[in-house]
């Protein structure tokens, strides 16, 4: 079976490219990135702010089952072209990870299918490799059981350290 | 976990990645490896030591000579690092697709 989501992380480069084809018209794919309440659903995070426009900004916050905030991220949107392109920064608050730059391109394939190409540029090659290794560092994948457990363990260990 | 972190640091260095490419299919002596780089020989030795410590390189004794070759098994493990990350995005996108399909109705 062909994998729906592809990651292209060329060796020695400080970027990676994520591509995915959706069984959705372009209009709906784009909407899923623009409407705060929809973003909240599929990203599994609380959307504190999302101004989908040029020079807009956003802020996400994720809490654990007990309501403790485990993750907060924010960014600005230097470029916003409806149903074509979103360029945004992404920064995880209270982590040592540097801001990353994300170029999202939305393409119509057919009337009912579309494609997303997401290029993420990191501060360094080492940082990119580190991020690849720590997918749960982004903490947004609470729906995924295995990774959710990993985050829970992190919290548990943090609590113990207090 | 610590070992894995070391592996990742090991391949973050361009010279070390070049070394791994050189010895991906053939065993080479330290001297032969070093002759491919402008870097000082002790620096190359240091790289070989780091790669060997994280098991990315194996060495073989041929008489008096030691040659190095990439450890295919460990290299495979490094390539697999990308999989959990891909899986995370795939899960998110599947969810997005499911939500938006309902939205249509």
């Amino acid at each position: 079976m062909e994998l729906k989501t592809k990651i292209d992380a060329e060796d020695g480069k400080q970027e990676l490219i994520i591509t995915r084809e959706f069984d959705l018209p372009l209009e709906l794919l784009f909407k899923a990135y623009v409407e705060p309440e929809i973003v909240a659903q599929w990203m599994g995070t609380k959307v504190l702010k999302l101004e989908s426009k040029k020079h807009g900004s956003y802020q996400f916050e994720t809490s654990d089952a007990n309501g403790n905030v485990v993750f907060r991220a924010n960014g600005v949107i230097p470029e916003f072209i409806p149903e074509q392109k979103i360029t945004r920064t992404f920064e995880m608050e209270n982590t040592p990870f540097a801001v990353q730059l994300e170029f999202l391109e939305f393409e119509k394939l057919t009337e009912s299918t579309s494609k997303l190409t997401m290029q993420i540029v990191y501060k360094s090659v080492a940082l990119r490799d580190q991020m690849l290794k720590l997918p749960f560092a982004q903490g947004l994948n609470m729906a995924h059981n295995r990774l959710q457990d990993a985050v829970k363990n992190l919290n548990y260990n943090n609590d113990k350290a207090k | 976990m610590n070992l894995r972190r070391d592996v990742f640091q090991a391949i973050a260095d361009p010279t070390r990645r070049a070394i791994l490419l050189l010895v991906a299919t053939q065993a080479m002596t330290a001297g032969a490896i070093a002759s491919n780089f402008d870097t000082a020989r002790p620096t190359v030795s240091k790289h070989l030591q780091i790669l060997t410590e994280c098991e990315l390189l194996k060495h073989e004794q041929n008489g008096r000579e030691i040659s190095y070759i990439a450890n295919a098994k460990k290299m495979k493990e490094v390539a697999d690092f990308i999989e959990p990350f891909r899986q995370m995005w795939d899960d998110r996108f599947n969810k997005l697709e499911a939500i938006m399909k309902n939205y249509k109705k």
Side-chain angles (χ1 to χ4, degrees), chain A residues 5 20 23 28 129 144, chain B residues 8 86 90-91 94 97 104:
Chain A
T5 304
R20 161 82 180 218
D23 193 17
L28 284 179
D129 292 348
H144 194 298
Chain B
F8 237 79
R86 198 196 64 74
D90 202 46
D91 286 343
N94 288 341
E97 204 169 55
K104 263 195 284 194

Side-chain angles (χ1 to χ4, degrees), chain A residues 80-97:
Chain A
F80 184 87
I81 307 172
E83 296 185 9
Q84 279 183 43
K85 202 174 188 179
I86 298 173
T87 306
R88 64 186 188 194
T89 62
F90 176 87
E91 179 182 8
M92 294 185 280
E93 294 174 21
N94 303 316
T95 69
F97 299 107

Side-chain angles (χ1 to χ4, degrees), chain A residues 3-7 9 11-12 16 18 20-25 28-29 31-33 38 41-44 116 118 120 122 125-126 129-135 138 140-141 143-144 146-147, chain B residues 1-14 17-18 20-21 75 78 80-105:
Chain A
L3 298 166
K4 283 183 127 184
T5 304
K6 288 183 187 138
I7 310 261
D11 213 18
L16 58 88
I18 304 171
R20 161 82 180 218
E21 288 180 13
F22 290 90
D23 193 17
L24 292 171
L28 284 179
L29 171 61
K31 205 181 188 72
Y33 268 87
I38 302 175
Q41 284 180 57
W42 69 268
M43 290 283 281
L116 170 70
M118 188 175 176
I120 307 180
Y122 297 90
V125 176
D129 292 348
Q130 211 175 351
M131 287 300 298
L132 276 176
K133 214 196 74 182
L134 290 174
Q138 298 200 23
L140 292 170
N141 42 291
H144 194 298
R146 191 160 49 95
L147 294 170
Chain B
M1 193 68 192
N2 275 333
L3 184 65
R4 292 198 147 206
R5 188 175 297 132
D6 290 342
V7 168
F8 237 79
Q9 276 165 2
I11 59 163
D13 181 275
R17 279 198 305 269
L20 288 172
L21 277 179
M75 294 292 283
V78 174
D80 286 343
F81 274 123
I82 208 163
E83 185 49 28
F85 187 82
R86 198 196 64 74
Q87 198 67 55
M88 175 190 80
W89 278 101
D90 202 46
D91 286 343
R92 279 184 195 168
F93 290 147
N94 288 341
K95 219 169 167 186
L96 185 162
E97 204 169 55
I99 290 167
M100 295 318 280
K101 274 187 173 164
N102 285 329
Y103 204 89
K104 263 195 284 194
K105 283 164 200 166

Side-chain angles (χ1 to χ4, degrees), chain B residues 4-6 8 12 15 26 29 33-35 37 40 47-48 62 69 82 85 87 93 99:
Chain B
R4 292 198 147 206
R5 188 175 297 132
D6 290 342
F8 237 79
T15 307
Q26 52 177 351
T29 62
I33 293 168
S35 68
F37 300 95
H47 286 316
L48 290 175
N62 292 321
I69 188 160
I82 208 163
F85 187 82
Q87 198 67 55
F93 290 147
I99 290 167

Side-chain angles (χ1 to χ4, degrees), chain B residues 28-83:
Chain B
M28 289 171 81
T29 62
I33 293 168
S35 68
N36 285 278
F37 300 95
D38 293 331
T39 327
R41 180 94 184 246
T43 312
V44 173
S45 298
K46 184 75 194 165
H47 286 316
L48 290 175
Q49 190 195 325
I50 291 169
L51 288 169
T52 306
E53 278 168 8
C54 4
E55 297 170 36
L56 286 165
L57 282 186
K58 292 186 291 189
H59 46 235
E60 296 166 357
Q61 189 89 37
N62 292 321
R64 245 175 294 170
E65 297 228 288
I66 295 174
S67 21
Y68 294 85
I69 188 160
N71 180 357
K73 203 177 142 216
K74 199 73 182 179
M75 294 292 283
K76 167 79 172 64
E77 208 177 295
V78 174
D80 286 343
F81 274 123
I82 208 163
E83 185 49 28

